[in-house]
Amino acid sequence: MSPGEGRGASPDRSPEAEAQEAPLLGPEQDEFRSRWQRIQSEFVDDPREAVGAADTLVAEVMQALATTFSEHKQGLEGQWHRGEEVATEELRVALQRYRSFFNRLLNT
């Protein structure tokens, strides 16, 4: 068994570690960062407009986070609502992802 496979996998290959490495917002994250940089650079010329744009951007990011979180949990909930048995391993991975998401939100 090679490193990263099965039970001998290194900790950095765990679902939680992979979730922590992946951007919370996927490819949108880069766009949000670019917009934030523009807002900061525009503050000197128009502070009021920059603050308004920052407020709008933060609201969009919060909505995107809520949507991302909702999409992740829909699959698991869908199984429960269909009465399917969810394997303990799937539940363990789901809990690790919730923990990762929770910790990352609190660390920002």
Side-chain angles (χ1 to χ4, degrees), residues 1 14 25 36 48 55 64 74 81-82 87-89 94 101:
M1 189 177 307
S14 72
L25 298 173
W36 181 252
R48 185 179 300 268
D55 180 65
Q74 281 179 354
H81 291 266
R82 290 189 303 269
T88 302
E89 179 61 16
F101 186 75

Side-chain angles (χ1 to χ4, degrees), residues 9-102:
S10 63
D12 62 340
R13 303 297 279 164
S14 72
E16 184 176 10
E18 289 175 9
Q20 287 177 347
E21 291 172 8
L24 283 176
L25 298 173
E28 288 183 289
Q29 192 157 310
D30 289 335
E31 179 191 340
F32 288 138
R33 287 189 191 282
S34 293
R35 287 175 58 194
W36 181 252
Q37 293 299 321
R38 278 196 310 273
I39 289 167
Q40 290 184 96
S41 67
E42 293 168 358
F43 180 81
V44 172
D45 295 328
D46 194 346
R48 185 179 300 268
E49 178 64 29
V51 170
D55 180 65
T56 299
L57 179 58
V58 168
E60 287 178 35
V61 169
M62 290 172 60
Q63 182 60 48
L65 283 170
T67 299
T68 298
F69 180 72
S70 177
E71 289 170 355
H72 283 289
K73 72 178 199 167
Q74 281 179 354
L76 189 58
E77 288 176 341
Q79 288 178 305
W80 291 333
H81 291 266
R82 290 189 303 269
E84 295 176 12
E85 184 66 30
V86 180
T88 302
E89 179 61 16
E90 288 182 57
L91 294 171
R92 184 185 70 76
V93 169
L95 185 60
Q96 286 179 328
R97 288 186 175 150
Y98 278 121
R99 181 177 60 206
S100 172
F101 186 75
F102 178 78

